[in-house]
Amino acid sequence: MRLLKVATCNLNNWAMDFDCNMKNIQVSISKAKEAGAMIRLGPELEITGYGCEDHFLELDTVSHAWECLKELLLGDWTDDILCSFGMPVIKGSERYNCQILCLNRKILMIRPKIWLANDGNYRELRWFTAWKQRCLEDFQLPSDVSEALTQTVVPFGYGYIQFSDTAVAAEVCEELFVPSPPHGELALNGVEVFMNASGSHHQLRKLDLRMRAFVSATHTRGGVYIYSNLQGCDGGRLYFDGCSCVVVNGDLVAQGSQFSLKDVEMVFAEIDLDVVASLRTSTSSFQEQASCKPKVSAVIVPYKLCKSFNLRRSLSSPLKIRYHSPEEEISLGPACWLWDYLRRSGASGFLLPLSGGADSSSVAAIVGSMCQLVVKEIANGDEQVKADAMRIGHYTDGQLPVDSKEFARRIFYTVFMGSENSSEATKYRAKLLADEVGSWHLNINIDGVVSSMISLFQTLTGKRPRYKVDGGSNIENLGLQNIQARVRMVLAFMLASLLPWVHNKPGFYLVLGSSNVDEALRGYLTKYDCSSADINPIGSISKTDLRTFLRWAATHLGYSSLAEIEAAPPTAELEPIRSNYSQLDEVDMGMTYDELSVYGRMRKIFRCGPVSMFKNLCYKWGTILTPKEVGDKVKHFFKYYSINRHKMTVLTPSYHAESYSPEDNRFDLRQFLYNVKWPYQFRKIDELVDELNGDHVAITKSTCQETDTVDGDGGGMGVVAAGAGNPKAGL
């Protein structure tokens, strides 16, 4: 027997926070060593964080990655354990997304990514070059790394490592999913262990696609497939959903969590590699293809990874794959994303305009789910979650969160902003849900503010607008609705910034949005109303899924009022209620939420223009609608989709959960959540300043005079103060 213990992990790393990432990496290696693992695999680009985006174009990012790798190699972290680290590497004039395979304080091989993810949420070709050579080349290490490691040149490219007792290769994320994945060819060359470092995001109902790929990779050709993934919000819209796992000959033998608040979660497996050899040598077609395989380059390392037969070592057995229902995914994914955002943003909590409708109630339930997860993890002994919760909730004298409702009251404000158009039913439902979740709740009336604005308009113009039901035009009707919607957001931000002060709490609260993906697709929202919050946990979730979630959460989260909320017809309550008229969302939109989901998927996922959509819907709806009715519906959708597309440019950053999300995020591709202290980078600056001071670098008077005359204003570089000439700069 050739017994091999492997370790993989879910890491909650943060783009550009090298201190955070190094801590998580080192903890994972320590845990792997304690368990006796001989291989430790981490996620893709784990040293820098995956979501650096345009920061990858900065040389600093690559330099800091090498500095961190050097620190890992100079310590005892890689002693007697094969470690694969993800980071960017520049070779010549090209930047590559690489896995650095290290053992015993040496770099064995640098494996650049061959096939880059470049669709949907991924733009790797913007930052990296794909490695196209079928060989290994010499790579000259940076001089400071070379001097520290006494290593000058290392193999770089496509290949594998041949140890004394097995062969190991890397396959990076997207490469698993291409039509001709590298693991097929590598298996024919004798590779038994595949390490896939990944940065894969959560999307509703997506995990089974990933798991099927792991199983199929080794089902017929044999092998051990080790998968590592990021987990958490690393600074953008995506939530990386972990699920690191180990698959042997098509059987899952170890699986990590998909949603978790942990910064480091380890997954271990003990494997007998002889089962791989047995499967391959008993399959005639495999042997025939292996006998005439294209040869792949190898790095020979005379080192044994495996142990011999030992009854004290327990082999991992096949497991049933664990999946969450879509309702559980909505409850857990956005909740974990919100927790990461809250603890890393410096905020003291959330404020939600709670209308008593399905969307805002879904957001309240998700925050409640987050509070339940926090209390549960604290009870399970997670010290990091406890420290973050105590800091955010301002616990003193040894107190800590032990009840989710009590914790919610400390970090969650909800406010019902009613008007003359609001019903008592929605007001009651909002208060009831707030009590169930535990939020600090306010009931306020905005009629006075709205009336003041209308009176100001009348003073300026001599005209007073009326609602449509009172004889006004469509323009008047829409204008009066927009006033209410925008007043609510102004009040929400005022309360979020000042309520902590009122309650003698430090900090500020983040305003949560509650527009769903279907309303964004249709443009059924007002610019700078409740769609313009700080972040939106449901902005990429369909109304249909949210209503299913509400029914589930009424029972499973313990918020029974959600059942009544889900049953109520959706309404904005921006127009007066009359005996013969009540405003309804689907009537206003001219289409149902179910129809919107169909339009969205055809537009984005199946890439249909109006004509293609019409043709497809004729097949789909032809038994209940005439072609003209189908055509009218398609034209109606594209009309309002087009005229409201501009609203996407100001849409609140939303948790990504649906593949037909219309959110606009095109140009400055940097994350929107930073560690504002920049601890690693600022410390490096301080060190450089100290070095310069130590060298007694002096700037002569003549040099200063020369610099002062570079431009006419004496500013040297001509830098303009932030906000100068732009009244909105810095807002």
Side-chain angles (χ1 to χ4, degrees), residues 116-124 174 201:
L116 300 179
N118 207 57
D119 49 17
N121 287 293
Y122 298 98
R123 298 174 177 87
E124 290 183 7
E174 177 76 6
H201 69 281

Side-chain angles (χ1 to χ4, degrees), residues 52-67:
C52 298
E53 299 190 314
D54 277 6
H55 284 295
F56 285 126
L57 303 179
E58 301 165 4
L59 293 180
D60 278 5
T61 304
V62 180
S63 298
H64 296 332
W66 278 113
E67 291 162 358

